[in-house]
Amino acid sequence: MSLMMRTLLLQQKTLRSCALPKRLRAFHTGRIVYSSSEVVRALRQKFNDKKLEHLQLAERDDAVILSLSGRVEQLTSRKHYGLERPQDLKDHNQQPVYGLGVTPPSEVFINNELNLRQIEVYGFDYDAKNLARTIYDILKDILVDMLRYPKQIKDMQFDPTFAIRGLHFDFNKGWLMKIDSYANIQLNTIAELMERLLVEGRERVKDLEEVIRHYHGTHISPGYLASSMFQLNDLFSVPQACLLSDVLQYFKDNNISFHPRYLCDDVNQAARVLHIGTDINGALGVGGRLHMAIMDDTSHYLEASPKLVGFLERLRKNGKKTDEGMSYLTSTSDWRDLFDVVVTSSRKPDFYRSRRPFRRAREPTWRTVDRFEPGEIYQGGNLGDFTRMTGWVSFIIMIGVHLHLQMGRQKVLYFGDHIFSDLIDPTIEQGWRTGAIVHELNAEIDTRNTTSYRHTLAWLIRIEGLLNEAQGHYGEPDIEGLDTLIDEWREMRRQARYELRNVFNSSFGSVFRTYQNPTYFANKIRQFADIYMSNVTNLDHIPLDYIFYPDRTYLPHERLVESLIDTGRIKELLMQQN
């Protein structure tokens, strides 16, 4: 038994040697009522009881409570992104911990009801992998070779552990930050454990009062968000965020005058050159330096996926239409036969808004495209012409003089891994159903499935419950030591939240969560994706007439009663009252 657990047992014996007054449990709050002189003593005893219980259960599961052990470094290996050992999920994570069960990374997650029986067309936008370091290197070369930045920038090295997707860059101040779904910056005012949720260059912003003065609080107004912040949302954003921070830090370290807006503009311009180039190939949509790098080493950037072929063949056999594809990815030279339409270099999101015509990728490229031919590859184009030539659009019926969308007749399910360029316009403008491919899901779920993470999360939830109970005594007279106790528990809560954040990324935490709220990025997935998953092949075992039903979402005022009804505990509690 550990020294901490022996100490807790001794404290328990001391507290229990004192007679406590009779207590009553209020059914609607769960609060235990004591005389005012015994409140703090009773709360401390309850805390020690629960802490011992959590420590014993964690020890049983060969786990640790991170905020009580100081062993967080064992969960922050980037090699396994949160796994203490690769076999952890097999050895320790098959049983739920405090009701926090294991989530399979291969699961399909549901935001909105979706009936696959009504889907006739499946569309895919898929990007290459292992690109981050290559993008970083090409971007810094463009800054130096084309935009005349200091040549020392070429010596910078990409750090894959620094940034995450979904950050915002304030190009007035040069601050890189993560914000939640309500556009609030998450700040921590404890100096010795200050969290790097907001950085300038590679350094934490030290003067948080300046941040509060600049934004008039910790909330960023919609106008400022739209006019003065650049959101790094797609898979190419992580190397961009790293390069912005590295160059900004270089300028600061060398006392070079600069404006962060110009730096942001130049990195964005370099990104455009990276994607479409500056020569005739770029003008024709063939692609820029990144495209050429992928073609030179296809096996490094594309992972062959025979399982994807099986999924696509199943769609075809069931009469579904498909678009997009690639021979290496599908591991077959006949990959075009898996798709009805193949479009490359579509230049999203302009594809959804422009009137640029389609063009053949192979000669004669100058001929007008007025229909799609089997086996042909097209480039450019626009969504209006695409829907006209394919007929893949939601049915519209006319009633009187009004046009109405025939509910339930959206025929297209479109998958993409870029929230803004792939999913928003098809959802809003065309009424397509959408699926988000979120590659970070596997790693984050693996981390959340570790026993140490789940025991620490259970401990955090316990502390918050005890804090709510203790604060229920505010306003009662003569409770000496209550404020001190609550301050102690708040500090323990802060430590637990800090450790739970660090296991994902020591600079910015989870891609999906900013403490109790979803991140701004996660909220966009919730808004614009009916379903989301780590890989489109997660759908391989799902029948094509399946209906996805989302979990009921409880508002705070609904949660108590409805969760009791869902779990069946309402009957048990009513019987106890009687």
Side-chain angles (χ1 to χ4, degrees), residues 247-263:
V247 175
L248 194 152
Q249 190 66 49
Y250 173 82
F251 285 160
K252 289 177 59 180
D253 291 344
N254 291 276
N255 297 315
I256 298 174
S257 177
F258 72 100
H259 195 290
R261 177 60 185 263
Y262 298 148
L263 171 59

Side-chain angles (χ1 to χ4, degrees), residues 356-558:
R356 184 181 183 86
F358 282 97
R359 185 171 191 163
R360 287 179 173 81
R362 296 180 294 186
E363 292 184 0
T365 62
W366 49 85
R367 287 184 181 175
T368 300
V369 175
D370 52 17
R371 64 188 178 91
F372 293 128
E373 299 175 0
E376 190 62 72
I377 301 175
Y378 301 92
Q379 60 188 21
N382 65 86
L383 185 56
D385 287 344
F386 182 84
T387 55
R388 176 179 57 81
M389 288 190 282
T390 61
W392 299 347
V393 65
S394 303
F395 287 178
I396 302 294
I397 60 175
M398 183 169 287
I399 303 176
V401 295
H402 300 287
L403 287 176
H404 295 270
L405 180 67
Q406 186 172 336
M407 297 306 295
R409 293 296 294 171
Q410 292 98 330
K411 300 190 297 179
V412 180
L413 175 57
Y414 185 70
F415 295 92
D417 48 14
H418 295 185
I419 304 303
F420 280 88
S421 61
D422 289 344
L423 303 181
I424 291 182
D425 284 293
T427 300
I428 294 176
E429 301 298 333
Q430 295 294 323
W432 287 3
R433 311 309 297 270
T434 53
I437 307 302
V438 187
H439 302 287
E440 294 91 342
L441 268 175
N442 274 347
E444 294 233 357
I445 289 173
D446 283 348
T447 296
R448 291 179 59 84
N449 280 341
T450 57
T451 51
S452 293
Y453 180 91
R454 290 184 289 144
H455 275 284
T456 306
L457 178 59
W459 174 237
L460 171 63
I461 294 170
R462 178 74 71 186
I463 294 171
E464 291 176 338
L466 290 169
L467 274 168
N468 286 333
E469 182 178 340
Q471 290 178 130
H473 293 283
Y474 276 152
E476 297 178 13
D478 304 323
I479 303 183
E480 184 178 353
L482 181 63
D483 289 339
T484 300
L485 178 69
I486 289 174
D487 286 344
E488 292 174 9
W489 289 359
R490 284 175 176 165
E491 171 61 16
M492 291 181 180
R493 174 180 180 262
R494 187 199 61 75
Q495 291 174 354
R497 297 206 309 172
Y498 178 79
E499 301 294 4
L500 288 172
R501 183 192 73 89
N502 273 2
V503 298
F504 296 104
N505 176 281
S506 60
S507 296
F508 298 100
S510 167
V511 173
F512 303 96
R513 178 164 293 280
T514 304
Y515 294 138
Q516 67 270 22
N517 293 327
T519 60
Y520 194 89
F521 171 77
N523 194 50
K524 294 302 179 185
I525 295 176
R526 187 164 57 182
Q527 281 183 278
F528 299 109
D530 295 296
I531 55 177
Y532 67 98
M533 64 213 77
S534 60
N535 194 301
V536 72
T537 56
N538 291 9
L539 286 166
D540 190 48
H541 65 286
I542 304 292
L544 296 181
D545 58 355
Y546 190 85
I547 301 176
F548 290 102
Y549 294 110
D551 291 336
R552 183 178 178 86
T553 301
Y554 298 128
L555 297 172
H557 70 278
E558 301 172 328

Side-chain angles (χ1 to χ4, degrees), residues 223-403:
Y224 191 93
L225 197 64
S227 65
S228 300
M229 302 196 81
F230 173 57
Q231 187 174 7
L232 298 141
N233 239 339
D234 59 33
L235 291 174
F236 307 128
S237 297
V238 171
Q240 282 184 258
C242 288
L243 188 60
L244 280 168
S245 297
D246 289 344
V247 175
L248 194 152
Q249 190 66 49
Y250 173 82
F251 285 160
K252 289 177 59 180
D253 291 344
N254 291 276
N255 297 315
I256 298 174
S257 177
F258 72 100
H259 195 290
R261 177 60 185 263
Y262 298 148
L263 171 59
C264 186
D265 288 346
D266 289 344
V267 171
N268 287 338
Q269 175 62 28
R272 285 189 287 272
V273 173
L274 175 141
H275 288 297
I276 66 173
T278 58
D279 56 13
I280 189 171
N281 284 339
L284 292 174
V286 174
R289 297 190 189 185
L290 182 61
H291 177 88
M292 302 306 174
I294 295 171
M295 296 303 294
D296 287 342
D297 192 0
T298 306
S299 62
H300 177 70
Y301 297 107
L302 293 177
E303 181 181 358
S305 180
K307 190 176 179 181
L308 178 61
V309 176
F311 175 63
L312 294 172
E313 288 178 341
R314 184 162 70 98
L315 293 179
R316 301 285 287 169
K317 288 176 182 178
N318 284 271
K320 307 298 182 181
K321 305 295 184 182
T322 54
D323 73 337
E324 202 60 67
M326 193 169 292
S327 58
Y328 187 88
L329 185 66
T330 58
S331 303
T332 172
S333 59
D334 300 326
W335 60 273
R336 294 185 192 88
D337 295 338
L338 298 170
F339 301 92
D340 293 272
V341 182
V342 180
V343 180
T344 185
S345 300
S346 59
R347 301 185 180 184
K348 299 185 305 299
D350 289 343
F351 176 82
Y352 301 113
R353 305 163 188 166
S354 74
R355 299 300 302 172
R356 184 181 183 86
F358 282 97
R359 185 171 191 163
R360 287 179 173 81
R362 296 180 294 186
E363 292 184 0
T365 62
W366 49 85
R367 287 184 181 175
T368 300
V369 175
D370 52 17
R371 64 188 178 91
F372 293 128
E373 299 175 0
E376 190 62 72
I377 301 175
Y378 301 92
Q379 60 188 21
N382 65 86
L383 185 56
D385 287 344
F386 182 84
T387 55
R388 176 179 57 81
M389 288 190 282
T390 61
W392 299 347
V393 65
S394 303
F395 287 178
I396 302 294
I397 60 175
M398 183 169 287
I399 303 176
V401 295
H402 300 287
L403 287 176

Side-chain angles (χ1 to χ4, degrees), residues 75-99:
L75 284 186
T76 56
S77 166
R78 296 296 296 190
K79 183 177 181 181
H80 299 297
Y81 201 94
L83 294 177
E84 296 178 46
R85 298 176 300 276
Q87 69 270 23
D88 268 4
L89 294 180
K90 296 179 182 178
D91 294 347
H92 303 300
N93 292 308
Q94 301 307 314
Q95 300 298 322
V97 175
Y98 289 103

